[in-house]
Amino acid sequence: MKHLTEFVADHKQDTGCGIFAVCSAHPLVLEAAMRHARDTESILLIEATSNQVDQYGGYTGMTPADFRRFVEQMADSHHFPRDRLVLGGDHLGPNRWQSAPAAEAMSQAEELIRHYVAAGFKKIHLDCSMSCADDPQPLTDEIVASRAARLALIAEQTSKEKQGASDLVYVIGTEVPVPGGAHESLSELAVTSPQAAKATLAAHRHAFEQLGLSDLWPRIIGLVVQPGVEFDHTQVIDYQPEKSLALSQMIEEFDTMVFEAHSTDYQTPFALQQLVQHHFAILKVGPALTFALRETLFSLAAIEQELRPAHQCSGLRDVLETVMLEHPEHWKHHYHGNTDARRLARGYSYSDRVRYYWPDSDIDEAYSRLVKNLADESIPLPLISQYLPLQYVKVREGRLIATPHELIINHIQDVLHQYHAACLGTSPSH
């Protein structure tokens, strides 16, 4: 398998070359990604975040070792070669423990890194940017870098203990606003300045040298910056190349490094392609994939209501709304405004807080009933045209079987196609 450092070398030779990371733990999203990567004979980079997967289970209930087993079992079941699978850890640091003093939070972060590396994760994003309970706000570059170096040392030691040598690659830095989509409405977004990016690199380089880690610097393949792309609940700030031109040119001075762009969800296909060409060559996508999943399920629920009497329907939409209202912890700090605004956000927001609720047993039962109701007999073509027009074209052309499962997978793959095309420097085709 081509090592991730080789992708950076490839990009330095051909700026149309990039990679993208699938940031989701949802089984249907991962199935769609594995089947897409299998059919396109691509490397598949799957990343778990520090709040999703940690030594205590995270919000998925999975430790890093659990997550690896889960992904590898899925790969086997969908005939995707394990040797084309790369696992990454995103925003690894003290972020989950910000309410604790820094010493305690960093102790937890060290254990987090040990678990990720011991489980075989190869791409490690070191992010110590967020202040802990007894920290200044914001943190200085020097504090952030020294903490990242501490975690890198643990990662290297763990890797060498497990396999005798280290082939880990690292990403450093963080974006602004906070990860996972902005909490508030956006109107303007500050692009990282070249000076700030260079200061981040200089501070990290010095901190790594202080701990005797100079040799791993060529394995730091990515720097996270803000290229001016973001989304909130109802709008997307599109990439504007002219605003990040100086930043884009700055990374050309570094032979072994590209930029990693977070929150690229919902960018246009052309914008994604431009990002890669301008050295934002590692693209992250997550909420856009579960948003596509939610779109398909809502459409299938509408089709179900046309085909079945009300007492036989799954009531997926109502069940989802009920559970989200009964357990508001995943959305109440994100969605604001009056009752109607919050209701719309729960169902349709780009930030897709719905993704935290799919594992709920009541919602999962409604989903299973929905799929069963629509799998018993063929879905009429006019209803597919009405509610899933992109899939309708493929069904009519004989390229897609109109079962609920295949319609879901295909709509998620519509998003994956855009990223795959951007990373090849081509226009997406379906």
Side-chain angles (χ1 to χ4, degrees):
M1 181 181 74
K2 180 174 286 192
H3 197 270
L4 289 178
T5 52
E6 294 179 53
F7 280 103
V8 177
D10 289 347
H11 177 80
K12 297 295 183 178
Q13 296 297 317
D14 174 9
T15 57
C17 171
I19 55 174
F20 69 93
V22 172
C23 304
S24 177
H26 196 287
L28 287 168
V29 170
L30 294 180
E31 178 185 345
M34 286 174 182
R35 288 171 55 179
H36 176 268
R38 182 192 67 201
D39 295 345
T40 56
E41 299 184 347
S42 305
I43 299 294
L44 177 57
L45 174 58
I46 296 173
E47 300 208 20
T49 63
S50 57
N51 64 334
Q52 192 179 52
V53 171
D54 67 15
Q55 61 266 44
Y56 304 108
Y59 74 72
T60 62
M62 286 187 280
T63 65
D66 294 334
F67 186 78
R68 180 183 177 177
R69 282 191 292 271
F70 165 64
V71 170
E72 287 184 340
Q73 287 168 1
M74 283 203 69
D76 293 344
S77 66
H78 296 293
H79 309 289
F80 182 73
R82 288 189 183 189
D83 64 0
R84 294 219 310 266
L85 182 65
V86 181
L87 294 180
D90 200 19
H91 295 289
L92 302 186
N95 301 345
R96 281 298 302 277
W97 302 281
Q98 291 174 64
S99 59
E104 179 185 337
M106 281 300 294
S107 177
Q108 295 278 17
E110 289 178 354
E111 196 62 24
L112 176 75
I113 289 285
R114 284 192 191 94
H115 275 73
Y116 266 84
V117 175
F121 286 67
K122 296 298 185 185
K123 178 177 176 287
I124 305 296
H125 174 208
L126 302 172
D127 182 6
C128 298
S129 61
M130 295 184 183
S131 296
C132 299
D134 55 352
D135 277 334
Q137 293 189 359
L139 294 178
T140 64
D141 279 339
E142 288 70 28
I143 295 174
V144 172
S146 66
R147 290 178 181 177
R150 275 179 61 185
L151 298 184
L153 183 62
I154 296 290
E156 290 293 290
Q157 290 171 344
T158 305
S159 185
K160 288 169 183 173
E161 287 168 10
K162 293 294 179 181
Q163 56 189 48
S166 177
D167 61 351
L168 302 175
V169 296
Y170 296 91
V171 172
I172 57 177
T174 196
E175 78 278 26
V176 178
V178 295
H183 291 194
E184 306 296 340
S185 295
L186 293 166
S187 57
E188 188 68 26
L189 196 64
V191 173
T192 303
S193 70
Q195 294 77 18
K198 284 186 174 181
T200 296
L201 286 175
H204 279 77
R205 186 152 207 164
H206 177 71
F208 278 55
E209 287 172 354
Q210 293 294 103
L211 291 185
L213 295 172
S214 298
D215 289 350
L216 69 70
W217 192 256
R219 288 189 277 121
I220 301 177
I221 62 167
L223 173 65
V224 179
V225 291
Q226 176 51 266
V229 301
E230 188 53 89
F231 57 91
D232 63 12
H233 306 311
T234 60
Q235 62 183 338
V236 180
I237 291 189
D238 291 313
Y239 180 55
Q240 299 177 54
E242 65 279 4
K243 291 189 174 182
S244 63
L245 182 61
L247 177 64
S248 174
Q249 292 171 339
M250 164 251 153
I251 203 69
E252 294 173 358
E253 301 172 24
F254 299 87
D255 292 339
T256 59
M257 196 178 298
V258 295
F259 288 126
E260 177 168 286
H262 292 211
S263 299
T264 67
D265 306 72
Y266 314 110
Q267 293 291 308
T268 66
F270 183 58
L272 292 174
Q273 188 173 345
Q274 284 186 305
L275 279 163
V276 172
Q277 289 172 345
H278 298 159
H279 311 309
F280 303 98
I282 306 173
L283 304 176
K284 308 293 280 291
V285 57
L289 299 170
T290 46
F291 184 91
L293 165 68
R294 192 271 314 153
E295 280 185 322
T296 321
L297 290 175
F298 277 20
S299 293
L300 290 173
I303 291 172
E304 178 193 35
Q305 289 181 322
E306 297 288 353
L307 296 176
R308 294 273 186 162
H311 71 276
Q312 291 182 6
C313 285
S314 64
L316 178 72
R317 296 281 306 273
D318 292 336
V319 173
L320 180 64
E321 176 71 352
T322 298
V323 171
M324 291 184 78
L325 287 172
E326 289 175 350
H327 304 279
E329 59 270 15
H330 293 302
W331 61 265
K332 65 180 179 181
H333 298 303
H334 297 261
Y335 299 157
H336 307 290
N338 61 27
T339 300
D340 282 340
R342 292 196 303 274
R343 177 183 57 80
L344 279 173
R346 282 193 296 274
Y348 297 100
S349 170
Y350 279 136
S351 64
D352 188 46
R353 309 301 294 180
V354 173
R355 69 186 187 272
Y356 295 95
Y357 292 89
W358 293 122
D360 177 88
S361 57
D362 289 342
I363 296 172
D364 189 54
E365 185 179 334
Y367 160 77
S368 298
R369 187 171 183 181
L370 169 66
V371 171
K372 185 177 185 302
N373 278 345
L374 294 178
D376 288 345
E377 55 190 83
S378 59
I379 302 173
L381 286 172
L383 289 180
I384 299 175
S385 178
Q386 175 68 42
Y387 291 105
L388 291 164
L390 296 176
Q391 279 56 57
Y392 171 76
V393 174
K394 299 170 202 174
V395 172
R396 286 286 292 114
E397 292 175 351
R399 296 187 287 126
L400 177 62
I401 302 169
T403 63
H405 187 82
E406 292 304 307
L407 291 168
I408 294 166
I409 295 297
N410 189 265
H411 191 50
I412 296 169
Q413 287 180 338
D414 282 344
V415 180
L416 294 167
H417 281 303
Q418 295 178 12
Y419 280 83
H420 180 70
C423 291
L424 291 178
T426 59
S427 297
S429 60
H430 303 288

